[in-house]
Amino acid sequence: MRFLANATMTALLVIAAVFGSTAGAQGMDQESALGIVGESTENGFPVIYKFVDEVPNDEVLSRFPWLTVISWKYDRDVRNGMPPEETNEQMITLEGAISGLATAGLCRHAYSRTGNGLKELVYYIADQDEFMAAFNAALEGQPRYPLEIEFYNDPQWDDFRKLRSLFKAH
């Protein structure tokens, strides 16, 4: 399991929020899905996690067995571990391109994490080659982003379940 392999989790703060309507988006097709925005600390820097607090049904789990982590490293010393404003704007553009892949049913958003010099956009996908072809097509015409993409076989969504367990009220 990959989740938080390098992180020291301290002082979890859970804030429940209602995400806006995302009707039609794969994985978040409810009119108003209950979301979690949670904060942890890594190396003295805040890290923010965002996810929908729901494990998908068995059909979705079996359809999307590959945990896909899209990582973007940035200078953590500029804004208390958060991305510089211009970098953050580019990250938002990237997220928009990927959300189109989710709408097309090529992936399912698991969670996002931002802080301590690292943005991770985490999805579950069905096929690595199909995803990468669509991902590259979605980014055509955009600047080259400093991304690393890693794939992990996680058919039971253990990574996502671990994250959810860390943000449950005790």
Side-chain angles (χ1 to χ4, degrees):
M1 180 166 41
R2 181 210 87 86
F3 184 74
L4 297 179
N6 300 323
T8 302
M9 298 296 292
T10 59
L12 293 179
L13 170 66
V14 179
I15 304 165
V18 176
F19 293 161
S21 174
T22 55
Q26 178 71 14
M28 293 173 37
D29 55 1
Q30 298 175 8
E31 196 62 33
S32 292
L34 178 63
I36 298 289
V37 175
E39 180 179 303
S40 69
T41 303
E42 290 177 9
N43 303 318
F45 291 102
V47 177
I48 306 299
Y49 291 87
K50 293 187 236 177
F51 61 96
V52 173
D53 190 22
E54 177 180 72
V55 174
N57 63 38
D58 288 342
E59 179 185 341
V60 172
L61 292 177
S62 65
R63 181 174 172 208
F64 298 107
W66 288 99
L67 175 70
T68 304
V69 181
I70 303 166
S71 302
W72 183 326
K73 294 178 184 174
Y74 56 87
D75 182 2
R76 72 180 185 179
D77 295 323
V78 176
R79 293 180 60 209
N80 193 34
M82 292 298 157
E85 194 169 314
E86 182 179 328
T87 301
N88 191 56
E89 289 173 15
Q90 292 176 327
M91 291 173 173
I92 292 168
T93 300
L94 172 65
E95 286 181 90
I98 298 171
S99 72
L101 302 179
T103 301
L106 295 174
C107 59
R108 178 85 181 240
H109 183 258
Y111 61 90
S112 301
R113 63 93 71 207
T114 308
N116 191 25
L118 179 64
K119 173 78 167 193
E120 289 184 324
L121 304 170
V122 182
Y123 296 84
Y124 281 89
I125 66 167
D127 180 88
Q128 294 175 35
D129 293 332
E130 179 183 29
F131 176 80
M132 287 308 302
F135 180 81
N136 287 326
L139 295 181
E140 192 171 313
Q142 293 190 30
R144 188 174 189 95
Y145 299 124
L147 304 176
E148 293 179 21
I149 302 175
E150 296 183 81
F151 301 97
Y152 303 89
N153 188 18
D154 186 14
Q156 295 303 311
W157 289 42
D158 292 330
D159 186 74
F160 178 69
R161 292 173 195 268
K162 175 71 174 174
L163 175 71
R164 286 183 73 227
S165 74
L166 293 172
F167 287 96
K168 289 290 182 191
H170 298 285

